């Protein structure tokens, strides 16, 4: 007898066709706006991932960042400022600080900043980067700007340059720089970060949001709400310093011993500026300790950044407060060959 058609085969083909038609109908109902939004979101995510990967790859080494300035290059071809950024300061923020202060800094030298490696702080590598930059640009005169904890780094690098390479730094400006870990006001938080770092724990980036916001909320009296939000978001962007770098900076501050460099700076002049309203670093103990231990180098310690907000090391936010201070220091400590004082080459 002839074999009857298998109902299951026919039914299976019919079901498949029905599913195709049903999906086609659903696609027709899917709005064009939804499709565009989805595609746009995917593009933004892909771009962010590419940017993050590129930034992370580029910032695995310490790098000298520069701000071109025709005036400084023309009048001071062999002199340069080096900004040593503070705690959790990104490469972009370091350049922002230089640009904010360029009207004062470029009256003595060109403008450069140290971009710290996301792999972690390494003083030896910073010294090498400074020396290579100096040789490439034929620099013979060095001025260091120590932004917050960057003053610690600047002092150690200056001592290393003199000891290992015979390079003497002309001037170190300490902007609200802690002399030791005891000048850091939030000791409990600080010790916790260092403990976790030295125990091998690395903060995942996804945990940074609450941590960054909480830290700034603790010092809300120093900041406007806009600054709290801006600084928190900046630390969560792809260009922010890595968690490893931040933890290594914490450990550096925690173990810093300035007495190792006292008497090893030669003729380097130093100045401390700060704000009595500082709620991050104890202004008085930091100022007094730097002045006592480096008394042979300290040229000024009475200039204050009153009115700055935030009160702690904020030249980028308050350039009109910082520029006159820098100019006063330069005129008094770094007089120009023509006689100094208020006379300039311009």
């Amino acid at each position: 007898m002839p074999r009857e058609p298998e109902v299951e085969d026919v039914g299976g083909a019919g079901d498949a066709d029905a599913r195709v038609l049903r999906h086609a109908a659903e696609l027709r109902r899917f709005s064009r706006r939804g499709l565009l939004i989805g595609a746009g979101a995917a593009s933004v995510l892909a771009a962010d991932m590419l940017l993050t990967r590129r930034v992370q790859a580029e910032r695995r080494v310490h790098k000298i960042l520069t701000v071109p300035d025709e005036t400084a290059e023309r009048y001071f071809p062999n002199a340069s400022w080096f900004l040593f950024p503070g705690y959790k300061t990104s490469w972009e923020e370091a350049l922002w600080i230089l640009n904010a202060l360029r009207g004062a800094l470029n009256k003595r030298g060109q403008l450069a900043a140290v971009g710290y490696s996301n792999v972690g702080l390494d003083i030896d590598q910073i010294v090498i980067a400074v020396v290579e930059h100096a040789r490439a640009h034929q620099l013979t005169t060095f001025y260091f700007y120590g932004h917050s904890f960057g003053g610690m780094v600047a002092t150690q690098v200056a001592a290393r340059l003199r000891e290992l390479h015979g390079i003497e730094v002309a001037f170190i400006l300490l902007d609200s720089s802690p002399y030791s870990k005891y000048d850091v006001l939030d000791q409990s938080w600080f010790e916790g970060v260092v403990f976790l770092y030295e125990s091998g724990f690395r903060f995942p980036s996804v945990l940074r949001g609450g941590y960054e916001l909480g830290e700034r909320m603790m010092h809300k009296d120093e900041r406007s709400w806009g600054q709290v939000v801006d600084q928190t978001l900046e630390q969560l962007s792809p260009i922010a310093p890595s968690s490893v770098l931040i933890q290594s900076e914490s450990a550096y501050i925690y173990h810093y011993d300035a007495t190792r460099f006292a008497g090893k700076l030669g003729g380097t002049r130093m100045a401390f500026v700060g704000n009595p309203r500082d709620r991050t670093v104890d202004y008085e103990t930091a100022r007094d300790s730097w002045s006592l231990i480096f008394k042979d180098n300290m040229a000024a310690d009475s200039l204050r950044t009153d009115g700055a907000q935030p009160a702690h090391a904020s030249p980028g936010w308050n350039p009109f407060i910082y520029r006159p201070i820098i100019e006063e220091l330069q005129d008094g400590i770094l007089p120009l060959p023509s006689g100094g004082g208020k006379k300039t080459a311009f």
Side-chain angles (χ1 to χ4, degrees):
M1 295 180 62
R3 183 179 179 183
E4 294 182 359
E6 296 183 3
V7 176
E8 292 183 357
D9 293 341
V10 175
D15 289 344
D17 292 341
R19 283 197 298 271
V20 170
L21 293 173
R22 185 165 60 252
H23 289 318
E26 290 173 353
L27 285 174
R28 291 182 62 184
R29 289 195 300 269
F30 191 80
S31 70
R32 180 176 299 177
R33 179 180 298 177
L35 178 63
L36 292 175
I37 291 174
S43 299
V44 170
L45 178 61
D48 180 73
M49 292 176 65
L50 288 173
L51 174 62
T52 302
R53 183 176 300 176
R54 178 179 177 182
V55 168
Q56 290 175 344
E58 180 185 23
R59 303 185 185 189
R60 295 183 64 84
V61 298
H62 295 282
K63 182 178 180 180
I64 303 302
L65 315 170
T66 59
V67 172
D69 187 286
E70 292 183 1
T71 299
E73 292 167 4
R74 177 182 178 184
Y75 287 99
F76 307 104
N78 305 117
S80 181
W81 279 94
F82 287 84
L83 171 72
F84 291 81
Y87 187 60
K88 295 192 293 188
T89 300
S90 68
W91 291 18
E92 285 70 22
E93 188 176 356
L95 293 175
W96 172 49
I97 292 172
L98 283 179
N99 274 298
L101 300 179
R102 65 186 300 175
L105 298 180
N106 69 0
K107 289 182 171 58
R108 291 299 185 279
Q110 299 174 52
L111 311 178
V114 179
Y116 302 137
S117 166
N118 272 338
V119 175
L121 193 69
D122 187 322
I123 299 300
D124 291 334
Q125 292 302 312
I126 293 175
V127 171
I128 292 173
V130 171
V131 170
E132 290 181 346
H133 180 80
R135 289 173 178 170
H137 293 82
Q138 300 181 338
L139 300 177
T140 56
T141 303
F142 301 77
Y143 309 120
F144 284 1
Y145 190 118
H147 174 240
S148 188
F149 111 95
M152 293 175 152
V153 179
T155 302
Q156 182 173 3
V157 170
R160 288 276 183 89
L161 286 173
R162 185 169 182 267
E163 177 185 6
L164 301 178
H165 301 279
I167 296 174
E168 189 162 296
V169 176
F171 179 57
I172 301 176
L173 174 57
L174 304 167
D175 178 5
S176 308
S177 301
Y179 170 82
S180 73
K181 65 180 180 181
Y182 300 108
D183 297 323
V184 178
L185 295 177
D186 192 356
Q187 284 290 312
S188 59
W189 164 84
F190 184 65
E191 291 179 354
V193 171
V194 175
F195 173 78
L196 291 174
Y197 175 72
E198 295 184 345
S199 298
F201 180 81
R202 302 295 179 260
F203 277 115
S205 297
V206 293
L207 298 180
R208 289 269 296 275
Y211 154 69
E212 297 292 345
L213 180 60
E215 180 190 355
R216 284 165 179 78
M217 289 295 293
M218 289 179 62
H219 304 291
K220 174 62 185 69
D221 57 323
E222 285 191 336
R223 297 170 169 85
S224 67
W225 282 109
Q227 289 172 335
V228 169
V229 173
D230 288 346
Q231 291 179 330
T232 300
L233 291 177
E234 180 183 271
Q235 291 298 321
L236 299 177
S237 71
I239 62 176
S242 70
S243 296
V244 174
L245 172 57
I246 291 173
Q247 289 179 277
S248 70
E249 290 175 341
S250 301
Y252 179 83
I253 298 170
Y254 192 78
H255 296 292
Y256 189 80
D257 180 7
T259 59
R260 293 183 299 158
F261 317 116
K264 297 183 179 180
L265 297 180
T268 300
R269 309 299 299 278
M270 302 176 73
F272 181 92
V273 300
N275 193 321
R277 294 177 59 85
D278 193 331
R279 296 295 180 269
T280 302
V281 169
D282 190 309
Y283 165 75
E284 292 185 356
T285 62
R287 178 200 61 191
D288 294 347
S289 297
W290 283 112
S291 298
L292 176 63
I293 302 303
F294 292 88
K295 60 181 182 298
D296 294 335
N297 302 95
M298 191 63 64
D301 64 1
S302 61
L303 294 175
R304 305 184 347 183
T305 59
D306 292 325
Q309 188 178 13
H312 175 72
S314 56
W317 295 100
N318 305 277
F320 295 107
I321 292 177
Y322 275 81
R323 285 179 195 163
I325 292 175
I326 294 172
E327 291 176 355
E328 181 177 343
L329 287 170
Q330 290 181 147
D331 290 338
I333 300 174
L334 306 170
L336 292 169
S338 59
K342 294 297 181 182
K343 299 179 181 179
T344 69
F346 311 102

